Amino acid sequence: DTGVSQNPRHKITKRGQNVTFRCDPISEHNRLYWYRQTLGQGPEFLTYFQNEAQLEKSRLLSDRFSAERPKGSFSTLEIQRTEQGDSAMYLCASSLAGQGTEAFFGQGTRLTVV
Amino acid sequence: QQPVQSPQAVILREGEDAVINCSSSKALYSVHWYRQKHGEAPVFLMILLKGGEQKGHEKISASFNEKKQQSSLYLTASQLSYSGTYFCGTELQTGANNLFFGTGTRLTVIP
């Protein structure tokens, strides 16, 4: 399968714990995006990378959130000291660089903070 | 910056047509349309670029009015498989490159 892959698919964690999600983009795509989606809403942009450089971060991304893409391939999104409000689906998407390019989404990681 | 979609929900019988609208208050470079089924990832349908270029789905058509910053998705002769939530994602002309998504239109096709 050459689509965008995300792991794990589901994560249940206790409030205050740290969690890390992984995204493997489509291999030839140099752009990688993280979005968050809550029930009944559209995806909300969190951050994106072009190759290994993190080029933009949303104001939604608090200091507890950090994302990396160390070698310009896979990316990780870490949430420290999770809160119940962090419960959501975390979606990763990838695309080629440039305006007007299609972005393809992974299946997402559903996070539940209890 | 979030676009506004209408209607919020629509129910169709198989074979009927529907139009979903997406409107932005910002100048747009492109509009991307996705369909998401419950519990699944959004699936890319098509992209409409400033200047008229379109890329995407064979059986679904859309339009993009650059002056009004509006796009419409046309679903004709709907099939049961068309059911899902449709999102428009807007790419601003500022070159920010990320997409701003609307709150979605829930489409249900019944036999």
PDB file of all heavy atoms in Angstrom, chain A residues 31 33 35 37 40-43 45 48 56 99-103 105-107, chain B residues 29 32 34 36 41 44 47 49 55 87 91-92 95-99 101-103:
ATOM      1  N   ARG A  31       5.813  17.234   1.224  1.00  0.00           N
ATOM      2  CA  ARG A  31       5.044  17.992   2.213  1.00  0.00           C
ATOM      3  C   ARG A  31       4.241  17.049   3.091  1.00  0.00           C
ATOM      4  O   ARG A  31       3.655  16.078   2.605  1.00  0.00           O
ATOM      5  CB  ARG A  31       4.077  18.948   1.525  1.00  0.00           C
ATOM      6  CG  ARG A  31       4.753  20.160   0.983  1.00  0.00           C
ATOM      7  CD  ARG A  31       3.948  21.400   1.238  1.00  0.00           C
ATOM      8  NE  ARG A  31       4.666  22.545   0.668  1.00  0.00           N
ATOM      9  CZ  ARG A  31       4.146  23.373  -0.189  1.00  0.00           C
ATOM     10  NH1 ARG A  31       2.891  23.227  -0.564  1.00  0.00           N
ATOM     11  NH2 ARG A  31       4.855  24.366  -0.662  1.00  0.00           N
ATOM     12  N   TYR A  33       1.466  17.210   6.479  1.00  0.00           N
ATOM     13  CA  TYR A  33       0.594  18.065   7.284  1.00  0.00           C
ATOM     14  C   TYR A  33       0.004  17.260   8.444  1.00  0.00           C
ATOM     15  O   TYR A  33      -0.287  16.077   8.296  1.00  0.00           O
ATOM     16  CB  TYR A  33      -0.599  18.576   6.453  1.00  0.00           C
ATOM     17  CG  TYR A  33      -0.247  19.246   5.155  1.00  0.00           C
ATOM     18  CD1 TYR A  33       0.038  18.509   4.021  1.00  0.00           C
ATOM     19  CD2 TYR A  33      -0.238  20.636   5.051  1.00  0.00           C
ATOM     20  CE1 TYR A  33       0.340  19.127   2.820  1.00  0.00           C
ATOM     21  CE2 TYR A  33       0.055  21.259   3.846  1.00  0.00           C
ATOM     22  CZ  TYR A  33       0.350  20.497   2.731  1.00  0.00           C
ATOM     23  OH  TYR A  33       0.641  21.124   1.544  1.00  0.00           O
ATOM     24  N   TYR A  35      -3.356  17.497  10.995  1.00  0.00           N
ATOM     25  CA  TYR A  35      -4.637  18.122  11.267  1.00  0.00           C
ATOM     26  C   TYR A  35      -5.270  17.438  12.471  1.00  0.00           C
ATOM     27  O   TYR A  35      -4.973  16.286  12.783  1.00  0.00           O
ATOM     28  CB  TYR A  35      -5.604  17.971  10.081  1.00  0.00           C
ATOM     29  CG  TYR A  35      -5.277  18.833   8.885  1.00  0.00           C
ATOM     30  CD1 TYR A  35      -4.351  18.425   7.938  1.00  0.00           C
ATOM     31  CD2 TYR A  35      -5.925  20.055   8.699  1.00  0.00           C
ATOM     32  CE1 TYR A  35      -4.068  19.218   6.839  1.00  0.00           C
ATOM     33  CE2 TYR A  35      -5.644  20.851   7.589  1.00  0.00           C
ATOM     34  CZ  TYR A  35      -4.717  20.421   6.670  1.00  0.00           C
ATOM     35  OH  TYR A  35      -4.438  21.214   5.576  1.00  0.00           O
ATOM     36  N   GLN A  37      -9.197  16.649  14.088  1.00  0.00           N
ATOM     37  CA  GLN A  37     -10.621  16.683  13.766  1.00  0.00           C
ATOM     38  C   GLN A  37     -11.430  16.201  14.950  1.00  0.00           C
ATOM     39  O   GLN A  37     -11.182  15.113  15.476  1.00  0.00           O
ATOM     40  CB  GLN A  37     -10.927  15.818  12.535  1.00  0.00           C
ATOM     41  CG  GLN A  37     -12.361  15.927  12.053  1.00  0.00           C
ATOM     42  CD  GLN A  37     -12.617  15.123  10.796  1.00  0.00           C
ATOM     43  OE1 GLN A  37     -11.967  14.114  10.555  1.00  0.00           O
ATOM     44  NE2 GLN A  37     -13.567  15.573   9.989  1.00  0.00           N
ATOM     45  N   GLY A  40     -18.059  16.089  14.200  1.00  0.00           N
ATOM     46  CA  GLY A  40     -18.938  17.067  13.574  1.00  0.00           C
ATOM     47  C   GLY A  40     -18.246  18.272  12.990  1.00  0.00           C
ATOM     48  O   GLY A  40     -18.901  19.195  12.508  1.00  0.00           O
ATOM     49  N   GLN A  41     -16.911  18.256  13.028  1.00  0.00           N
ATOM     50  CA  GLN A  41     -16.156  19.387  12.504  1.00  0.00           C
ATOM     51  C   GLN A  41     -15.252  18.947  11.367  1.00  0.00           C
ATOM     52  O   GLN A  41     -14.941  17.767  11.222  1.00  0.00           O
ATOM     53  CB  GLN A  41     -15.293  20.010  13.614  1.00  0.00           C
ATOM     54  CG  GLN A  41     -16.074  20.546  14.787  1.00  0.00           C
ATOM     55  CD  GLN A  41     -16.978  21.692  14.407  1.00  0.00           C
ATOM     56  OE1 GLN A  41     -16.571  22.626  13.692  1.00  0.00           O
ATOM     57  NE2 GLN A  41     -18.211  21.662  14.867  1.00  0.00           N
ATOM     58  N   GLY A  42     -14.821  19.923  10.585  1.00  0.00           N
ATOM     59  CA  GLY A  42     -13.832  19.627   9.575  1.00  0.00           C
ATOM     60  C   GLY A  42     -12.444  19.574  10.190  1.00  0.00           C
ATOM     61  O   GLY A  42     -12.237  20.009  11.322  1.00  0.00           O
ATOM     62  N   PRO A  43     -11.496  19.037   9.461  1.00  0.00           N
ATOM     63  CA  PRO A  43     -10.117  18.999   9.972  1.00  0.00           C
ATOM     64  C   PRO A  43      -9.585  20.414  10.235  1.00  0.00           C
ATOM     65  O   PRO A  43      -9.817  21.324   9.444  1.00  0.00           O
ATOM     66  CB  PRO A  43      -9.344  18.323   8.834  1.00  0.00           C
ATOM     67  CG  PRO A  43     -10.370  17.546   8.071  1.00  0.00           C
ATOM     68  CD  PRO A  43     -11.625  18.361   8.163  1.00  0.00           C
ATOM     69  N   PHE A  45      -6.145  22.638  10.824  1.00  0.00           N
ATOM     70  CA  PHE A  45      -4.712  22.605  10.564  1.00  0.00           C
ATOM     71  C   PHE A  45      -3.908  22.793  11.846  1.00  0.00           C
ATOM     72  O   PHE A  45      -4.211  23.667  12.661  1.00  0.00           O
ATOM     73  CB  PHE A  45      -4.363  23.706   9.560  1.00  0.00           C
ATOM     74  CG  PHE A  45      -2.888  23.933   9.377  1.00  0.00           C
ATOM     75  CD1 PHE A  45      -2.116  23.034   8.663  1.00  0.00           C
ATOM     76  CD2 PHE A  45      -2.276  25.045   9.930  1.00  0.00           C
ATOM     77  CE1 PHE A  45      -0.762  23.243   8.502  1.00  0.00           C
ATOM     78  CE2 PHE A  45      -0.923  25.265   9.761  1.00  0.00           C
ATOM     79  CZ  PHE A  45      -0.164  24.362   9.043  1.00  0.00           C
ATOM     80  N   TYR A  48       2.714  22.006   9.349  1.00  0.00           N
ATOM     81  CA  TYR A  48       3.158  21.277   8.171  1.00  0.00           C
ATOM     82  C   TYR A  48       4.663  21.406   7.970  1.00  0.00           C
ATOM     83  O   TYR A  48       5.306  22.334   8.449  1.00  0.00           O
ATOM     84  CB  TYR A  48       2.372  21.663   6.917  1.00  0.00           C
ATOM     85  CG  TYR A  48       2.961  22.734   6.030  1.00  0.00           C
ATOM     86  CD1 TYR A  48       3.785  22.386   4.952  1.00  0.00           C
ATOM     87  CD2 TYR A  48       2.646  24.060   6.219  1.00  0.00           C
ATOM     88  CE1 TYR A  48       4.295  23.355   4.111  1.00  0.00           C
ATOM     89  CE2 TYR A  48       3.153  25.037   5.378  1.00  0.00           C
ATOM     90  CZ  TYR A  48       3.965  24.693   4.324  1.00  0.00           C
ATOM     91  OH  TYR A  48       4.468  25.648   3.490  1.00  0.00           O
ATOM     92  N   GLU A  56       5.206  25.909   9.144  1.00  0.00           N
ATOM     93  CA  GLU A  56       4.091  26.664   9.697  1.00  0.00           C
ATOM     94  C   GLU A  56       3.455  25.905  10.841  1.00  0.00           C
ATOM     95  O   GLU A  56       3.363  24.689  10.814  1.00  0.00           O
ATOM     96  CB  GLU A  56       3.040  26.940   8.623  1.00  0.00           C
ATOM     97  CG  GLU A  56       1.975  27.930   9.040  1.00  0.00           C
ATOM     98  CD  GLU A  56       1.144  28.435   7.879  1.00  0.00           C
ATOM     99  OE1 GLU A  56       1.584  28.276   6.724  1.00  0.00           O
ATOM    100  OE2 GLU A  56       0.069  28.984   8.132  1.00  0.00           O
ATOM    101  N   GLN A  99       1.691  25.173  -4.849  1.00  0.00           N
ATOM    102  CA  GLN A  99       0.278  25.476  -4.653  1.00  0.00           C
ATOM    103  C   GLN A  99      -0.571  24.615  -5.573  1.00  0.00           C
ATOM    104  O   GLN A  99      -0.139  24.216  -6.659  1.00  0.00           O
ATOM    105  CB  GLN A  99       0.028  26.956  -4.945  1.00  0.00           C
ATOM    106  CG  GLN A  99       0.521  27.861  -3.845  1.00  0.00           C
ATOM    107  CD  GLN A  99       0.055  29.293  -4.057  1.00  0.00           C
ATOM    108  OE1 GLN A  99       0.457  29.958  -4.997  1.00  0.00           O
ATOM    109  NE2 GLN A  99      -0.804  29.766  -3.181  1.00  0.00           N
ATOM    110  N   GLY A 100      -1.782  24.330  -5.093  1.00  0.00           N
ATOM    111  CA  GLY A 100      -2.716  23.596  -5.924  1.00  0.00           C
ATOM    112  C   GLY A 100      -2.374  22.139  -6.122  1.00  0.00           C
ATOM    113  O   GLY A 100      -2.717  21.549  -7.151  1.00  0.00           O
ATOM    114  N   THR A 101      -1.707  21.543  -5.163  1.00  0.00           N
ATOM    115  CA  THR A 101      -1.404  20.115  -5.273  1.00  0.00           C
ATOM    116  C   THR A 101      -2.332  19.326  -4.358  1.00  0.00           C
ATOM    117  O   THR A 101      -2.693  19.783  -3.275  1.00  0.00           O
ATOM    118  CB  THR A 101       0.054  19.817  -4.899  1.00  0.00           C
ATOM    119  OG1 THR A 101       0.310  20.299  -3.586  1.00  0.00           O
ATOM    120  CG2 THR A 101       1.000  20.492  -5.865  1.00  0.00           C
ATOM    121  N   GLU A 102      -2.680  18.122  -4.800  1.00  0.00           N
ATOM    122  CA  GLU A 102      -3.608  17.300  -4.023  1.00  0.00           C
ATOM    123  C   GLU A 102      -2.941  16.816  -2.738  1.00  0.00           C
ATOM    124  O   GLU A 102      -1.791  16.401  -2.762  1.00  0.00           O
ATOM    125  CB  GLU A 102      -4.044  16.076  -4.830  1.00  0.00           C
ATOM    126  CG  GLU A 102      -4.647  16.387  -6.185  1.00  0.00           C
ATOM    127  CD  GLU A 102      -3.630  16.269  -7.305  1.00  0.00           C
ATOM    128  OE1 GLU A 102      -2.538  16.885  -7.193  1.00  0.00           O
ATOM    129  OE2 GLU A 102      -3.917  15.545  -8.263  1.00  0.00           O
ATOM    130  N   ALA A 103      -3.696  16.857  -1.651  1.00  0.00           N
ATOM    131  CA  ALA A 103      -3.224  16.310  -0.385  1.00  0.00           C
ATOM    132  C   ALA A 103      -4.025  15.051  -0.081  1.00  0.00           C
ATOM    133  O   ALA A 103      -5.250  15.041  -0.211  1.00  0.00           O
ATOM    134  CB  ALA A 103      -3.395  17.325   0.743  1.00  0.00           C
ATOM    135  N   PHE A 105      -4.915  12.014   2.693  1.00  0.00           N
ATOM    136  CA  PHE A 105      -4.953  11.800   4.129  1.00  0.00           C
ATOM    137  C   PHE A 105      -4.701  10.344   4.503  1.00  0.00           C
ATOM    138  O   PHE A 105      -5.073   9.422   3.754  1.00  0.00           O
ATOM    139  CB  PHE A 105      -6.314  12.197   4.696  1.00  0.00           C
ATOM    140  CG  PHE A 105      -6.497  13.672   4.862  1.00  0.00           C
ATOM    141  CD1 PHE A 105      -6.961  14.451   3.813  1.00  0.00           C
ATOM    142  CD2 PHE A 105      -6.207  14.288   6.067  1.00  0.00           C
ATOM    143  CE1 PHE A 105      -7.136  15.822   3.960  1.00  0.00           C
ATOM    144  CE2 PHE A 105      -6.388  15.651   6.234  1.00  0.00           C
ATOM    145  CZ  PHE A 105      -6.841  16.414   5.173  1.00  0.00           C
ATOM    146  N   GLY A 106      -4.118  10.167   5.676  1.00  0.00           N
ATOM    147  CA  GLY A 106      -4.047   8.851   6.290  1.00  0.00           C
ATOM    148  C   GLY A 106      -5.338   8.559   7.030  1.00  0.00           C
ATOM    149  O   GLY A 106      -6.253   9.390   7.086  1.00  0.00           O
ATOM    150  N   GLN A 107      -5.398   7.349   7.630  1.00  0.00           N
ATOM    151  CA  GLN A 107      -6.610   6.908   8.312  1.00  0.00           C
ATOM    152  C   GLN A 107      -6.797   7.575   9.667  1.00  0.00           C
ATOM    153  O   GLN A 107      -7.863   7.483  10.255  1.00  0.00           O
ATOM    154  CB  GLN A 107      -6.579   5.388   8.500  1.00  0.00           C
ATOM    155  CG  GLN A 107      -6.614   4.608   7.204  1.00  0.00           C
ATOM    156  CD  GLN A 107      -7.996   4.609   6.582  1.00  0.00           C
ATOM    157  OE1 GLN A 107      -8.561   5.653   6.257  1.00  0.00           O
ATOM    158  NE2 GLN A 107      -8.554   3.446   6.400  1.00  0.00           N
TER     159      GLN A 107
ATOM    160  N   TYR B  29      -6.636  30.559  -3.771  1.00  0.00           N
ATOM    161  CA  TYR B  29      -5.846  30.045  -4.882  1.00  0.00           C
ATOM    162  C   TYR B  29      -6.488  28.779  -5.426  1.00  0.00           C
ATOM    163  O   TYR B  29      -6.496  28.538  -6.625  1.00  0.00           O
ATOM    164  CB  TYR B  29      -4.414  29.742  -4.445  1.00  0.00           C
ATOM    165  CG  TYR B  29      -3.562  29.278  -5.584  1.00  0.00           C
ATOM    166  CD1 TYR B  29      -2.910  30.186  -6.398  1.00  0.00           C
ATOM    167  CD2 TYR B  29      -3.439  27.914  -5.871  1.00  0.00           C
ATOM    168  CE1 TYR B  29      -2.153  29.768  -7.472  1.00  0.00           C
ATOM    169  CE2 TYR B  29      -2.686  27.485  -6.937  1.00  0.00           C
ATOM    170  CZ  TYR B  29      -2.045  28.418  -7.736  1.00  0.00           C
ATOM    171  OH  TYR B  29      -1.302  27.999  -8.798  1.00  0.00           O
ATOM    172  N   HIS B  32     -10.337  22.522  -2.607  1.00  0.00           N
ATOM    173  CA  HIS B  32     -10.193  21.073  -2.630  1.00  0.00           C
ATOM    174  C   HIS B  32     -11.456  20.471  -2.034  1.00  0.00           C
ATOM    175  O   HIS B  32     -11.943  20.950  -1.011  1.00  0.00           O
ATOM    176  CB  HIS B  32      -8.993  20.626  -1.786  1.00  0.00           C
ATOM    177  CG  HIS B  32      -7.698  21.265  -2.183  1.00  0.00           C
ATOM    178  ND1 HIS B  32      -6.532  20.544  -2.305  1.00  0.00           N
ATOM    179  CD2 HIS B  32      -7.361  22.537  -2.484  1.00  0.00           C
ATOM    180  CE1 HIS B  32      -5.553  21.347  -2.654  1.00  0.00           C
ATOM    181  NE2 HIS B  32      -6.036  22.569  -2.771  1.00  0.00           N
ATOM    182  N   TYR B  34     -13.317  16.959  -0.522  1.00  0.00           N
ATOM    183  CA  TYR B  34     -13.085  15.649   0.054  1.00  0.00           C
ATOM    184  C   TYR B  34     -14.426  15.048   0.488  1.00  0.00           C
ATOM    185  O   TYR B  34     -15.359  15.770   0.841  1.00  0.00           O
ATOM    186  CB  TYR B  34     -12.176  15.732   1.289  1.00  0.00           C
ATOM    187  CG  TYR B  34     -10.748  16.087   0.991  1.00  0.00           C
ATOM    188  CD1 TYR B  34     -10.366  17.417   0.804  1.00  0.00           C
ATOM    189  CD2 TYR B  34      -9.771  15.097   0.899  1.00  0.00           C
ATOM    190  CE1 TYR B  34      -9.044  17.745   0.526  1.00  0.00           C
ATOM    191  CE2 TYR B  34      -8.444  15.422   0.629  1.00  0.00           C
ATOM    192  CZ  TYR B  34      -8.094  16.749   0.439  1.00  0.00           C
ATOM    193  OH  TYR B  34      -6.786  17.061   0.173  1.00  0.00           O
ATOM    194  N   GLN B  36     -15.784  12.175   3.326  1.00  0.00           N
ATOM    195  CA  GLN B  36     -15.369  11.377   4.481  1.00  0.00           C
ATOM    196  C   GLN B  36     -16.544  10.524   4.947  1.00  0.00           C
ATOM    197  O   GLN B  36     -17.630  11.036   5.222  1.00  0.00           O
ATOM    198  CB  GLN B  36     -14.890  12.282   5.623  1.00  0.00           C
ATOM    199  CG  GLN B  36     -14.312  11.526   6.805  1.00  0.00           C
ATOM    200  CD  GLN B  36     -13.751  12.464   7.857  1.00  0.00           C
ATOM    201  OE1 GLN B  36     -14.234  13.575   8.052  1.00  0.00           O
ATOM    202  NE2 GLN B  36     -12.715  12.031   8.560  1.00  0.00           N
ATOM    203  N   ALA B  41     -10.839   8.154   6.881  1.00  0.00           N
ATOM    204  CA  ALA B  41     -10.109   9.367   6.514  1.00  0.00           C
ATOM    205  C   ALA B  41     -10.835  10.104   5.398  1.00  0.00           C
ATOM    206  O   ALA B  41     -11.557   9.496   4.602  1.00  0.00           O
ATOM    207  CB  ALA B  41      -8.707   9.002   6.046  1.00  0.00           C
ATOM    208  N   PHE B  44      -9.768  12.316  -1.123  1.00  0.00           N
ATOM    209  CA  PHE B  44      -9.671  13.397  -2.089  1.00  0.00           C
ATOM    210  C   PHE B  44     -10.616  13.149  -3.265  1.00  0.00           C
ATOM    211  O   PHE B  44     -10.662  12.052  -3.824  1.00  0.00           O
ATOM    212  CB  PHE B  44      -8.230  13.504  -2.604  1.00  0.00           C
ATOM    213  CG  PHE B  44      -8.056  14.450  -3.750  1.00  0.00           C
ATOM    214  CD1 PHE B  44      -7.993  15.812  -3.525  1.00  0.00           C
ATOM    215  CD2 PHE B  44      -7.961  13.986  -5.045  1.00  0.00           C
ATOM    216  CE1 PHE B  44      -7.827  16.694  -4.572  1.00  0.00           C
ATOM    217  CE2 PHE B  44      -7.795  14.857  -6.100  1.00  0.00           C
ATOM    218  CZ  PHE B  44      -7.738  16.205  -5.875  1.00  0.00           C
ATOM    219  N   ILE B  47      -9.799  19.002  -7.113  1.00  0.00           N
ATOM    220  CA  ILE B  47      -9.228  20.291  -6.795  1.00  0.00           C
ATOM    221  C   ILE B  47      -9.527  21.239  -7.938  1.00  0.00           C
ATOM    222  O   ILE B  47      -9.458  20.850  -9.108  1.00  0.00           O
ATOM    223  CB  ILE B  47      -7.706  20.169  -6.555  1.00  0.00           C
ATOM    224  CG1 ILE B  47      -7.084  21.516  -6.243  1.00  0.00           C
ATOM    225  CG2 ILE B  47      -7.008  19.525  -7.727  1.00  0.00           C
ATOM    226  CD1 ILE B  47      -5.622  21.402  -5.845  1.00  0.00           C
ATOM    227  N   LEU B  49      -8.435  24.977  -9.381  1.00  0.00           N
ATOM    228  CA  LEU B  49      -7.390  25.975  -9.235  1.00  0.00           C
ATOM    229  C   LEU B  49      -7.819  27.313  -9.812  1.00  0.00           C
ATOM    230  O   LEU B  49      -8.607  27.373 -10.767  1.00  0.00           O
ATOM    231  CB  LEU B  49      -6.122  25.515  -9.945  1.00  0.00           C
ATOM    232  CG  LEU B  49      -5.564  24.156  -9.537  1.00  0.00           C
ATOM    233  CD1 LEU B  49      -4.379  23.795 -10.407  1.00  0.00           C
ATOM    234  CD2 LEU B  49      -5.167  24.178  -8.080  1.00  0.00           C
ATOM    235  N   LYS B  55      -8.610  19.113 -11.334  1.00  0.00           N
ATOM    236  CA  LYS B  55      -8.027  17.784 -11.294  1.00  0.00           C
ATOM    237  C   LYS B  55      -8.886  16.939 -10.385  1.00  0.00           C
ATOM    238  O   LYS B  55      -9.194  17.364  -9.263  1.00  0.00           O
ATOM    239  CB  LYS B  55      -6.597  17.837 -10.740  1.00  0.00           C
ATOM    240  CG  LYS B  55      -5.611  18.565 -11.607  1.00  0.00           C
ATOM    241  CD  LYS B  55      -4.204  18.480 -11.022  1.00  0.00           C
ATOM    242  CE  LYS B  55      -3.931  19.605 -10.065  1.00  0.00           C
ATOM    243  NZ  LYS B  55      -2.513  19.643  -9.622  1.00  0.00           N
ATOM    244  N   PHE B  87     -16.413  17.798   2.561  1.00  0.00           N
ATOM    245  CA  PHE B  87     -15.698  18.978   3.059  1.00  0.00           C
ATOM    246  C   PHE B  87     -15.044  19.712   1.903  1.00  0.00           C
ATOM    247  O   PHE B  87     -14.470  19.080   1.009  1.00  0.00           O
ATOM    248  CB  PHE B  87     -14.585  18.582   4.036  1.00  0.00           C
ATOM    249  CG  PHE B  87     -15.077  18.004   5.327  1.00  0.00           C
ATOM    250  CD1 PHE B  87     -15.062  16.633   5.543  1.00  0.00           C
ATOM    251  CD2 PHE B  87     -15.532  18.826   6.343  1.00  0.00           C
ATOM    252  CE1 PHE B  87     -15.502  16.090   6.733  1.00  0.00           C
ATOM    253  CE2 PHE B  87     -15.970  18.290   7.545  1.00  0.00           C
ATOM    254  CZ  PHE B  87     -15.954  16.918   7.735  1.00  0.00           C
ATOM    255  N   GLU B  91      -7.475  26.875  -0.069  1.00  0.00           N
ATOM    256  CA  GLU B  91      -6.061  27.263  -0.046  1.00  0.00           C
ATOM    257  C   GLU B  91      -6.014  28.749  -0.384  1.00  0.00           C
ATOM    258  O   GLU B  91      -6.460  29.168  -1.452  1.00  0.00           O
ATOM    259  CB  GLU B  91      -5.278  26.441  -1.062  1.00  0.00           C
ATOM    260  CG  GLU B  91      -3.791  26.755  -1.109  1.00  0.00           C
ATOM    261  CD  GLU B  91      -3.069  25.931  -2.170  1.00  0.00           C
ATOM    262  OE1 GLU B  91      -3.728  25.281  -3.000  1.00  0.00           O
ATOM    263  OE2 GLU B  91      -1.827  25.961  -2.168  1.00  0.00           O
ATOM    264  N   LEU B  92      -5.466  29.530   0.522  1.00  0.00           N
ATOM    265  CA  LEU B  92      -5.463  30.969   0.326  1.00  0.00           C
ATOM    266  C   LEU B  92      -4.413  31.403  -0.689  1.00  0.00           C
ATOM    267  O   LEU B  92      -3.416  30.715  -0.899  1.00  0.00           O
ATOM    268  CB  LEU B  92      -5.210  31.688   1.661  1.00  0.00           C
ATOM    269  CG  LEU B  92      -6.177  31.366   2.795  1.00  0.00           C
ATOM    270  CD1 LEU B  92      -5.871  32.223   4.012  1.00  0.00           C
ATOM    271  CD2 LEU B  92      -7.620  31.554   2.361  1.00  0.00           C
ATOM    272  N   GLY B  95      -0.310  31.946  -0.161  1.00  0.00           N
ATOM    273  CA  GLY B  95       0.744  30.943  -0.284  1.00  0.00           C
ATOM    274  C   GLY B  95       1.003  30.183   0.987  1.00  0.00           C
ATOM    275  O   GLY B  95       2.054  29.574   1.145  1.00  0.00           O
ATOM    276  N   ALA B  96       0.054  30.203   1.905  1.00  0.00           N
ATOM    277  CA  ALA B  96       0.237  29.499   3.177  1.00  0.00           C
ATOM    278  C   ALA B  96       0.313  27.998   2.992  1.00  0.00           C
ATOM    279  O   ALA B  96       0.863  27.306   3.824  1.00  0.00           O
ATOM    280  CB  ALA B  96      -0.892  29.859   4.133  1.00  0.00           C
ATOM    281  N   ASN B  97      -0.268  27.491   1.926  1.00  0.00           N
ATOM    282  CA  ASN B  97      -0.178  26.085   1.549  1.00  0.00           C
ATOM    283  C   ASN B  97      -0.990  25.115   2.384  1.00  0.00           C
ATOM    284  O   ASN B  97      -1.161  23.977   1.987  1.00  0.00           O
ATOM    285  CB  ASN B  97       1.285  25.608   1.534  1.00  0.00           C
ATOM    286  CG  ASN B  97       2.094  26.388   0.528  1.00  0.00           C
ATOM    287  OD1 ASN B  97       1.730  26.464  -0.625  1.00  0.00           O
ATOM    288  ND2 ASN B  97       3.165  26.992   0.970  1.00  0.00           N
ATOM    289  N   ASN B  98      -1.448  25.485   3.580  1.00  0.00           N
ATOM    290  CA  ASN B  98      -2.312  24.568   4.304  1.00  0.00           C
ATOM    291  C   ASN B  98      -3.757  24.845   3.917  1.00  0.00           C
ATOM    292  O   ASN B  98      -4.080  25.906   3.388  1.00  0.00           O
ATOM    293  CB  ASN B  98      -2.133  24.724   5.808  1.00  0.00           C
ATOM    294  CG  ASN B  98      -2.289  26.153   6.263  1.00  0.00           C
ATOM    295  OD1 ASN B  98      -1.382  26.951   6.082  1.00  0.00           O
ATOM    296  ND2 ASN B  98      -3.438  26.491   6.837  1.00  0.00           N
ATOM    297  N   LEU B  99      -4.611  23.886   4.163  1.00  0.00           N
ATOM    298  CA  LEU B  99      -6.021  24.005   3.810  1.00  0.00           C
ATOM    299  C   LEU B  99      -6.853  24.355   5.034  1.00  0.00           C
ATOM    300  O   LEU B  99      -6.607  23.845   6.130  1.00  0.00           O
ATOM    301  CB  LEU B  99      -6.526  22.690   3.214  1.00  0.00           C
ATOM    302  CG  LEU B  99      -5.877  22.219   1.921  1.00  0.00           C
ATOM    303  CD1 LEU B  99      -6.444  20.875   1.495  1.00  0.00           C
ATOM    304  CD2 LEU B  99      -6.048  23.254   0.819  1.00  0.00           C
ATOM    305  N   PHE B 101     -10.647  24.004   6.326  1.00  0.00           N
ATOM    306  CA  PHE B 101     -11.801  23.197   5.986  1.00  0.00           C
ATOM    307  C   PHE B 101     -13.085  23.778   6.575  1.00  0.00           C
ATOM    308  O   PHE B 101     -13.081  24.341   7.685  1.00  0.00           O
ATOM    309  CB  PHE B 101     -11.631  21.766   6.516  1.00  0.00           C
ATOM    310  CG  PHE B 101     -10.663  20.950   5.715  1.00  0.00           C
ATOM    311  CD1 PHE B 101      -9.319  20.927   6.042  1.00  0.00           C
ATOM    312  CD2 PHE B 101     -11.101  20.215   4.623  1.00  0.00           C
ATOM    313  CE1 PHE B 101      -8.414  20.172   5.291  1.00  0.00           C
ATOM    314  CE2 PHE B 101     -10.204  19.459   3.873  1.00  0.00           C
ATOM    315  CZ  PHE B 101      -8.866  19.443   4.203  1.00  0.00           C
ATOM    316  N   GLY B 102     -14.175  23.608   5.821  1.00  0.00           N
ATOM    317  CA  GLY B 102     -15.486  23.946   6.335  1.00  0.00           C
ATOM    318  C   GLY B 102     -15.970  22.894   7.308  1.00  0.00           C
ATOM    319  O   GLY B 102     -15.288  21.898   7.564  1.00  0.00           O
ATOM    320  N   THR B 103     -17.183  23.116   7.834  1.00  0.00           N
ATOM    321  CA  THR B 103     -17.730  22.187   8.822  1.00  0.00           C
ATOM    322  C   THR B 103     -18.405  20.985   8.184  1.00  0.00           C
ATOM    323  O   THR B 103     -18.850  20.091   8.869  1.00  0.00           O
ATOM    324  CB  THR B 103     -18.737  22.894   9.743  1.00  0.00           C
ATOM    325  OG1 THR B 103     -19.690  23.560   8.927  1.00  0.00           O
ATOM    326  CG2 THR B 103     -18.039  23.896  10.644  1.00  0.00           C
TER     327      THR B 103
END
